[in-house]
Amino acid sequence: LKESFDEFVLKTIRFADKPGSPPAAEQAKKAKEEITKGKMFEDAIDQYSADTAPPDKKLRDVTINIPRRSLNANPMLKPVAGLKPGMISEVLSTPQGVLLVKVQAINRNIPADFTQQEAKYRREYIDQLATGRLIEEREKKRSANLITWNDAGLKALFEAQVLLTESTGTPEQMRKGLENFLTNMKAPTLKDGDIFSQPAFNMARYMVIEQLWRSANKTEKEGLREKFVEALGLVLEESDDAGMRMMLVEQLIEMKSEKAGDELLKASEINTSFGNMGESLHNQINTTLDILKRDQLISAATITKIEESQKRWQTDRTEMLAELAQDKKAREEAEKKMEAERKAAEEQAKKDAAAKPADKPAPSSSDLVAPGGATPAPLPGTGR
């Protein structure tokens, strides 16, 4: 159990297919042979890695920390969990590409409350082992082509979920894995009566692009924005969501698109929540409307429609709050009445108990003795 809290410090080489170069798997095999013969792993990083170094350090100095539990839960990386510091993995095939991994160090990070909470940590560890086993069995079936997908859209959604939740690596490796996934996605061929395939495919594509968007810098977002807007729009065609609609409006404003006003109107019209989230969205729509007016990205007719929609929301919310206040008042009055009736009943019960005459006690044996100590006369008909 304590070993499960180990954290692996790793260096990696990601190999990629490049024009004029051997396939990534062949590059990795060659690099592994060279390292086995004495080449420094860091020198192999400099020669082979397809990753880009961060601004503040050399690529050979970049490390990533991955918990043992995460390695064990990922069938593609599980072999790394069996390595010791200084050891190098065999060639690994992952969604991020072909990898070689070197274990720099293993740090044991046992929680401070381990002794007090050992039972809890043991349960969590067992759950993780079970999850890892399920993933491993699933991957065995998938790699052996034992899983047959009859729907390309649902297949894409499943694989996108696996990619986003189970992948590990450096940010650069994660980004490459997502980009490769997008490149290799196969759109579904729609069949008569098939209503799920295309929406599932659109959602998978959006999930991957959204993850790329969140990890992108300003320059990268400029090149990704059109894809992001397209993916958002396709998902919203199937299932509207005010939050996603506002994300779309934000991107259209950045693109200086007059479509932003139409999308803002849709967001206003579907805001049917009167709680904190609904109020926050209402305020956000007002603020965004001011921006569209300022930048002249909205027509006068659309401005009028949005303002009318916002007024309706405010009126409906005011009426709803008034109804809630009235209901609350009625409940409180009913509760007060019931409490008063309860207290009155208790008081009446006390009064009734006080007014009831006391029961006369049964005569004692001394009451049967006549004055002076003589025995009383026999009762008629008893002979006593």
Side-chain angles (χ1 to χ4, degrees), residues 319-335:
E319 292 177 354
M320 185 206 70
L321 292 176
E323 290 176 2
L324 290 176
Q326 187 175 358
D327 291 343
K328 181 180 178 182
K329 182 179 179 181
R331 285 197 307 272
E332 290 175 348
E333 290 177 350
E335 289 171 358

Side-chain angles (χ1 to χ4, degrees), residues 344-374:
E346 288 179 354
E347 290 297 325
Q348 186 61 46
K350 290 178 182 178
K351 292 178 180 179
D352 292 344
K356 184 177 180 181
D359 293 334
K360 189 175 181 179
S364 64
S365 58
S366 60
D367 293 333
L368 300 178
V369 179

Side-chain angles (χ1 to χ4, degrees), residues 99-359:
L99 302 179
L100 280 177
V101 177
K102 177 184 177 183
V103 179
Q104 285 292 108
I106 302 175
N107 301 320
R108 185 154 294 181
N109 299 321
I110 298 176
D113 63 347
F114 177 82
T115 302
Q116 295 80 8
Q117 300 290 334
E118 182 175 352
K120 182 193 78 169
Y121 288 122
R122 189 174 299 280
R123 288 194 302 271
E124 292 176 353
Y125 181 49
I126 292 172
D127 288 344
Q128 289 179 336
L129 287 177
T131 300
R133 181 65 182 274
L134 286 173
I135 293 173
E136 187 174 352
E137 291 300 316
R138 183 196 67 199
E139 290 306 310
K140 285 180 181 178
K141 288 180 170 54
R142 188 164 63 165
S143 61
N145 295 320
L146 297 178
I147 298 177
T148 302
W149 289 96
N150 296 321
D151 188 303
L154 294 177
K155 178 184 178 184
L157 185 59
F158 169 79
E159 292 181 342
Q161 185 69 19
V162 171
L163 176 66
L164 293 172
T165 58
E166 298 175 15
S167 296
T168 56
T170 66
E172 177 71 10
Q173 291 166 353
M174 295 288 287
R175 183 176 66 83
K176 288 294 183 183
L178 294 170
E179 290 175 347
N180 290 339
F181 183 86
L182 283 177
T183 300
N184 297 323
M185 287 183 77
K186 295 182 180 179
T189 301
L190 296 181
K191 302 181 286 294
D192 291 340
D194 187 349
I195 61 174
F196 299 111
S197 191
Q198 191 63 48
F201 179 85
N202 292 341
M203 177 57 74
R205 186 166 179 270
Y206 165 75
M207 288 164 57
V208 174
I209 292 176
E210 194 268 343
Q211 180 63 37
L212 280 170
W213 177 265
R214 284 198 287 136
S215 61
N217 59 36
K218 185 176 181 181
T219 302
E220 292 168 341
K221 283 183 177 179
E222 289 300 325
L224 191 60
R225 181 167 279 113
E226 287 190 5
K227 283 185 178 180
F228 188 36
V229 167
E230 179 192 16
L232 269 169
L234 290 172
V235 171
L236 287 168
E237 285 180 5
E238 300 295 335
S239 177
D240 218 336
D241 176 86
M244 291 180 67
R245 187 71 66 180
M246 290 303 296
M247 290 171 59
L248 179 57
V249 172
E250 179 183 347
Q251 300 311 315
L252 291 173
I253 290 174
E254 291 292 328
M255 297 170 68
K256 304 298 181 184
S257 172
E258 293 184 357
K259 294 180 180 179
D262 295 332
E263 297 300 329
L264 186 64
L265 175 59
K266 292 176 183 177
S268 177
E269 290 175 338
I270 64 172
N271 183 19
T272 56
S273 171
F274 298 118
N276 292 336
M277 292 184 62
E279 184 177 15
S280 176
L281 178 60
H282 178 81
N283 295 335
Q284 185 182 0
I285 291 170
N286 285 336
T287 301
T288 306
L289 180 58
D290 290 338
I291 294 173
L292 292 177
K293 290 177 182 178
R294 181 198 67 194
D295 295 347
Q296 299 181 353
L297 293 175
I298 188 170
S299 67
T302 305
I303 291 173
T304 300
K305 290 178 181 179
I306 293 175
E307 289 176 342
E308 290 175 349
S309 177
Q310 291 291 88
K311 287 179 181 177
R312 281 195 300 272
W313 182 91
Q314 191 65 60
T315 299
D316 292 344
R317 181 173 184 268
T318 300
E319 292 177 354
M320 185 206 70
L321 292 176
E323 290 176 2
L324 290 176
Q326 187 175 358
D327 291 343
K328 181 180 178 182
K329 182 179 179 181
R331 285 197 307 272
E332 290 175 348
E333 290 177 350
E335 289 171 358
K336 287 180 180 179
K337 182 179 179 181
M338 290 176 63
E339 181 64 15
E341 291 175 349
R342 184 186 66 78
K343 289 182 177 180
E346 288 179 354
E347 290 297 325
Q348 186 61 46
K350 290 178 182 178
K351 292 178 180 179
D352 292 344
K356 184 177 180 181
D359 293 334

